Amino acid sequence: MIIRNVSLDIVCGITSKLPDTGRPEIAFAGKSNVGKSSLINGLMNRKSLARTSAQPGKTQTINFYNINECMYLVDLPGYGYAKVAQSEKEKWGKMIERYLHTSKNLKAVFLLIDIRHDPSANDKQMYEWIVHNGYEPIIIATKLDKLKRSQVQKNIKAIRDGLGLRMDNVLIPFSAETKQGREEIWALIDELTGMESC
């Protein structure tokens, strides 16, 4: 995918009506601070289109990024750490669930897991939730550059075991620093959306 233009087209809050974009959508889920914004910026070759923050829970809306006027990358609110009231978290949860349930254009959900840690209870819950909604999550193991090379395989195995992945479930290690994994992720997105020619 050669990215000619990118824009943040649609921002949905808790009460917003979810759009029918009429274009293929790829969603990104992950707990707060797992590197979702960095991944999206890395995929789009932009420094700060998706706002990154050291403070967890920055993304509190569903953000639709229009790529080349032919598909959308959809950034879902982070779950987990954010220092927000339980009632707010439940609203975000409902918003994510509503999106997974109702989007006519969603082709795949990428679930981001920090490669340095075993999947948390929240990660496992999110994985099961995505499966329950009829999608086969593609796992992206973020923050690859924070590990020594010798640790990578052991940590990937810990993620696979922790989520109960099958051998054929896709897991792609990714580094926002070195961009390792970027080409693989785009190849998969192109395949899932049929947008190779876009």
Side-chain angles (χ1 to χ4, degrees), residues 27-31 36 76-80 92-93 96-97 99-100 109-113 120-133 135 137 139 163:
F28 294 87
K31 75 179 171 203
K36 225 156 18 76
L76 300 173
Y79 55 85
W92 293 355
I96 294 171
E97 188 167 28
Y99 172 69
L100 293 178
V109 182
F110 286 80
L111 177 61
L112 281 61
I113 308 280
S120 66
N122 275 329
D123 290 329
K124 292 174 191 175
Q125 194 180 1
M126 190 69 187
Y127 179 80
E128 283 158 16
W129 204 27
I130 295 167
V131 170
H132 177 71
N133 278 287
Y135 296 94
I139 308 302
L163 294 175

Side-chain angles (χ1 to χ4, degrees), residues 133-149:
N133 278 287
Y135 296 94
E136 184 80 57
I138 295 151
I139 308 302
I140 299 181
T142 59
K143 307 191 190 249
L144 178 61
D145 47 277
K146 305 275 195 286
L147 281 188
K148 294 194 182 82
R149 191 165 286 181

Side-chain angles (χ1 to χ4, degrees), residues 32-193:
S32 305
N33 257 17
V34 73
K36 225 156 18 76
S37 300
S38 300
L39 169 72
I40 288 172
N41 287 330
L43 287 175
M44 298 190 290
N45 274 340
R46 301 293 192 276
K47 277 270 187 295
S48 56
L49 195 65
R51 283 201 299 277
T52 57
S53 166
Q55 182 193 355
K58 198 74 186 141
T59 306
Q60 300 183 11
T61 49
I62 299 181
N63 297 333
F64 290 75
Y65 294 95
N66 184 337
I67 310 283
N68 293 350
E69 299 293 330
C70 65
M71 65 163 292
Y72 283 92
L73 296 185
V74 182
D75 186 7
L76 300 173
Y79 55 85
Y81 297 145
K83 290 191 178 81
V84 292
Q86 190 56 36
S87 58
E88 279 297 296
K89 286 185 189 173
E90 281 167 13
K91 284 181 193 160
W92 293 355
K94 287 202 169 62
M95 178 162 77
I96 294 171
E97 188 167 28
R98 192 165 52 119
Y99 172 69
L100 293 178
H101 265 326
T102 59
S103 172
K104 298 181 182 72
N105 307 299
L106 182 59
K107 301 296 180 200
V109 182
F110 286 80
L111 177 61
L112 281 61
I113 308 280
D114 186 329
I115 197 167
R116 298 171 300 177
H117 310 295
D118 289 353
S120 66
N122 275 329
D123 290 329
K124 292 174 191 175
Q125 194 180 1
M126 190 69 187
Y127 179 80
E128 283 158 16
W129 204 27
I130 295 167
V131 170
H132 177 71
N133 278 287
Y135 296 94
E136 184 80 57
I138 295 151
I139 308 302
I140 299 181
T142 59
K143 307 191 190 249
L144 178 61
D145 47 277
K146 305 275 195 286
L147 281 188
K148 294 194 182 82
R149 191 165 286 181
S150 60
Q151 299 170 296
V152 172
Q153 287 313 315
K154 179 172 77 68
N155 289 39
I156 285 175
K157 184 177 185 316
I159 292 175
R160 283 191 170 278
D161 292 348
L163 294 175
L165 299 183
R166 299 187 316 270
M167 282 314 294
D168 61 338
N169 289 122
V170 179
L171 185 153
I172 302 173
F174 175 79
S175 162
E177 291 295 313
T178 66
K179 302 289 188 284
Q180 185 179 333
R182 181 181 185 273
E183 295 308 314
E184 268 179 275
I185 294 167
W186 267 123
L188 205 50
I189 291 173
D190 286 346
E191 193 182 312
L192 291 162
T193 58

Side-chain angles (χ1 to χ4, degrees), residues 6-23:
V6 177
S7 59
L8 174 54
D9 253 20
I10 305 160
V11 176
C12 287
I14 286 165
T15 55
S16 309
K17 185 176 184 304
L18 289 166
D20 179 356
T21 61
R23 297 191 175 120

